[in-house]
Amino acid sequence: LPKPHLETGLRIAAWLHVLGARRITTISLGVGGNTEKSAGAEFETSLLHRMSRKGWVVLDRGIGAGERQQVERAVGPLKSAGIPVLEASEEDDLSGKRFSLPQQVKNGVLMWQGGIGSLAGIISQSNRYIGYDSSGQHLAAALGVPAVTIFISGNPPVFADRWAPFNRRSRVIRMMR
């Protein structure tokens, strides 16, 4: 990874560890404008809720208004349930960023806005990556980070076989709609 992108990942991971994170999972709900790749808001909220109970989740806010709205819909119920949900971007100086949190918070969701390079840096410092069939799965595989890729059944099984990440630490889940 180019140094600035790796530094972004290191900075985010260090900041979350200061907050109390023991595990970091990066999640991308991005579908590149193809809503057929999405399992829906209920599944996404459930996934975020489950993973945020195990540690901190860095949730990629995606690109475009559609993906940002999708993320907001998935995160809304978490906020209502009292799960800490923070927002940051690659432009933020996290050392100076203040949130109203107790000293140590071992789990929550950090909604992240940044480019593909900084996302790669964050994935490189994560314990796991989870996402739909998108670029994030390939970044995780290339970086040796354990990944779970979700393929929705709209395509024939050979599609998932062809586009699955090539890494023994990656798992593919095929879901029916």
Side-chain angles (χ1 to χ4, degrees):
L1 278 175
K3 188 175 180 179
H5 301 311
L6 180 57
E7 287 174 355
T8 297
L10 289 168
R11 194 174 75 238
I12 292 296
W15 183 72
L16 289 174
H17 288 300
V18 165
L19 286 180
R22 291 190 180 137
R23 295 187 54 77
I24 299 171
T25 300
T26 300
I27 296 178
S28 174
L29 302 175
V31 294
N34 182 354
T35 57
E36 294 297 314
K37 289 183 175 184
S38 170
E42 187 176 323
F43 168 80
E44 293 167 355
T45 298
S46 175
L47 172 67
L48 291 170
H49 191 262
R50 191 172 330 119
M51 297 314 299
S52 68
R53 287 189 308 209
K54 297 178 180 187
W56 273 92
V57 170
V58 178
L59 176 60
D60 179 26
R61 293 193 70 186
I63 56 172
E67 287 187 6
R68 287 189 198 102
Q69 290 170 352
Q70 178 185 5
V71 164
E72 290 294 334
R73 277 191 302 272
V75 168
L78 276 66
K79 291 178 182 178
S80 299
I83 294 171
V85 177
L86 311 176
E87 296 183 39
S89 73
E90 62 188 356
E91 288 83 28
D92 290 338
D93 174 12
L94 294 177
S95 63
K97 197 161 179 81
R98 301 286 178 243
F99 297 104
S100 56
L101 290 174
Q103 182 83 14
Q104 293 284 303
V105 180
K106 294 180 180 164
N107 59 332
V109 176
L110 173 64
M111 295 193 315
W112 174 257
Q113 185 66 55
I116 190 79
S118 62
L119 178 63
I122 293 168
I123 292 170
S124 76
Q125 300 304 304
S126 296
N127 300 95
R128 175 183 325 164
Y129 171 84
I130 301 172
Y132 295 123
D133 169 32
S134 67
S135 60
Q137 68 173 334
H138 300 293
L139 290 171
L143 294 164
V145 174
V148 176
T149 302
I150 303 162
F151 284 89
I152 304 301
S153 67
N155 293 307
V158 70
F159 182 84
D161 294 338
R162 286 185 183 152
W163 290 103
F166 185 72
N167 180 330
R168 284 188 274 178
R169 300 179 79 191
S170 297
R171 300 286 177 256
V172 171
I173 296 174
R174 292 180 180 99
M175 292 181 64
M176 301 296 286
R177 243 187 218 270

